[in-house]
Amino acid sequence: MSQIEDMPRLIAIENGERLAATFSQSEINRRLGGVLDHAQENRLDAVLFTSYHNVNYHADFLYCAFGRSFGVLVTADNSTLISANIDGGQPWRRNPDNVVYTDWQRDNFIAAVQKLAAGAKRLGIEFDHVTLDMRSKLEAAFPGVELVDVARAAMQRRMVKSAEEIVVIKNGSRTADIGGAACVEAIAEGVPEFEVANHATQAMIREIAATYPEGELRDTWTWFQSGINTDGAHNPVTSRKLQRGDILSLNCFPMIAGYYTALERTLFLDHASDRHLELWNVNCEVHRRGLELIKPGVRCCDIALELNEIYRSHDLLDRRTFGYGHSFGVLSHYYGREAGLELREDIETVLQPGMVVSMEPMIMIPEGEAGAGGYREHDILVLSEDGADNITGFPFGPEKNIISG
């Protein structure tokens, strides 16, 4: 036991050569500057970020938790990435300001925080990410510490994208269009959903690799759904084989350095019934109007309320399944969302230049009713000073997306 106790809690692993950073140092400094401004205004001695999205945003490192904790500890003097020994030198290759904790003793992550934030009396943490267990450990490590929430303020800063972020998001949207084209290429009667999805995902990964040759190729995926499987936006891919007359849902999600983008489209194989076409056209009507409404100075809730009236006029409001869109940036299906920038009735955020949002109306008709299935369109828009730039190029609607197969 004494031999184990003598093993180091914290180490450095400077293994290999540094990788090309996703963003410039001035961009990272801008982000950290926002943290320090908030810390000064709120008399915080240090800020500890632990979520996937905030660690990635402030340290250009997307961790794989696998039951371990990761963080970025920001003080007026330093910003340090805290990673686990199991990841070797890869965190350092992405961010040289890195300390590694080992598994030789329990709670060595807390030991790293203790060392980096020694003497802190007011410590900023993410209330929406830190567990009760982690909070109790932090309180024990910093007697008398006051833990202060920084999650909401960090989210608000992330909602407005920099020029460098918008470049990454546009590359992602362009890649999603490539995935969509690959989906259409693979659609045919008798082909399983997973084969269509695999074809699209591989096309997107190859494009990301060509665009970012030193980037990490991870977390790009496709949900391609057919028939009853279209009823949920996040339904998994299955081995169901496509049939003529099927409603289809194309969902391509490229991931570049933790920046997720999306393309979602309703399609049909070979033909669509009259009721299917009627419902599809209503959803496209809502989608077109939503694209027109997204511009600076408009409140998220007002967009939702106006689009509700279109559905109401067709007696379809109760078939809407979620809000009309959300922010894009550092987010994924397993972490992070800028909840303050969703196009819902309860969100009063005012759109402003630099924000990036989707328009994605969806209705669902249950099995057994005429026109059964889920209908969803999805475009991404970048807000500018005088309007919004739609960066999604893939067409939508019955004129383009009834696939002969």
Side-chain angles (χ1 to χ4, degrees), residues 301-368:
C301 56
D302 292 334
I303 293 174
L305 291 170
E306 179 165 338
L307 296 181
N308 281 349
E309 292 307 309
I310 300 177
Y311 280 138
R312 195 190 310 275
S313 70
H314 294 280
D315 197 26
L316 290 170
L317 184 57
D318 63 333
R319 305 305 177 93
R320 200 196 90 185
T321 62
F322 55 85
Y324 290 100
H326 58 80
S327 179
F328 275 79
V330 183
L331 64 112
S332 172
H333 59 308
Y334 64 88
Y335 66 85
R337 167 166 288 193
E338 292 157 8
L341 189 49
E342 295 194 33
L343 304 182
R344 296 169 31 140
E345 298 84 351
D346 58 343
I347 302 295
E348 297 184 354
T349 302
V350 177
L351 298 181
Q352 60 180 287
M355 290 180 171
V356 181
V357 297
S358 62
M359 173 49 55
E360 49 178 311
M362 179 177 177
I363 53 174
M364 190 277 282
I365 309 301
E367 200 74 2

Side-chain angles (χ1 to χ4, degrees), residues 128-147:
D128 62 359
H129 185 263
V130 168
T131 63
L132 291 174
D133 181 59
M134 176 62 74
R135 179 167 183 150
S136 66
K137 290 177 179 179
L138 289 170
E139 288 172 337
F142 294 89
V145 68
E146 182 178 359
L147 300 177

Side-chain angles (χ1 to χ4, degrees), residues 87-132:
D87 289 324
Q90 194 259 351
W92 174 83
R93 292 194 292 274
R94 294 224 60 86
N95 189 312
D97 299 314
N98 173 225
V99 63
V100 177
Y101 70 91
T102 71
D103 279 357
W104 290 115
Q105 301 85 13
R106 185 174 297 278
D107 292 330
N108 281 349
F109 174 80
I110 296 296
V113 178
Q114 268 186 309
K115 179 178 180 179
L116 295 169
K121 294 300 181 183
R122 283 175 60 85
L123 176 65
I125 63 172
E126 298 176 73
F127 279 15
D128 62 359
H129 185 263
V130 168
T131 63
L132 291 174

Side-chain angles (χ1 to χ4, degrees), residues 152-170:
R152 181 170 294 274
M155 175 191 70
Q156 290 171 339
R157 289 193 300 274
R158 295 197 319 273
M159 288 195 312
V160 179
K161 272 58 184 179
S162 68
E164 290 189 30
E165 289 181 280
I166 289 171
V167 169
V168 172
I169 292 169
K170 285 184 174 180

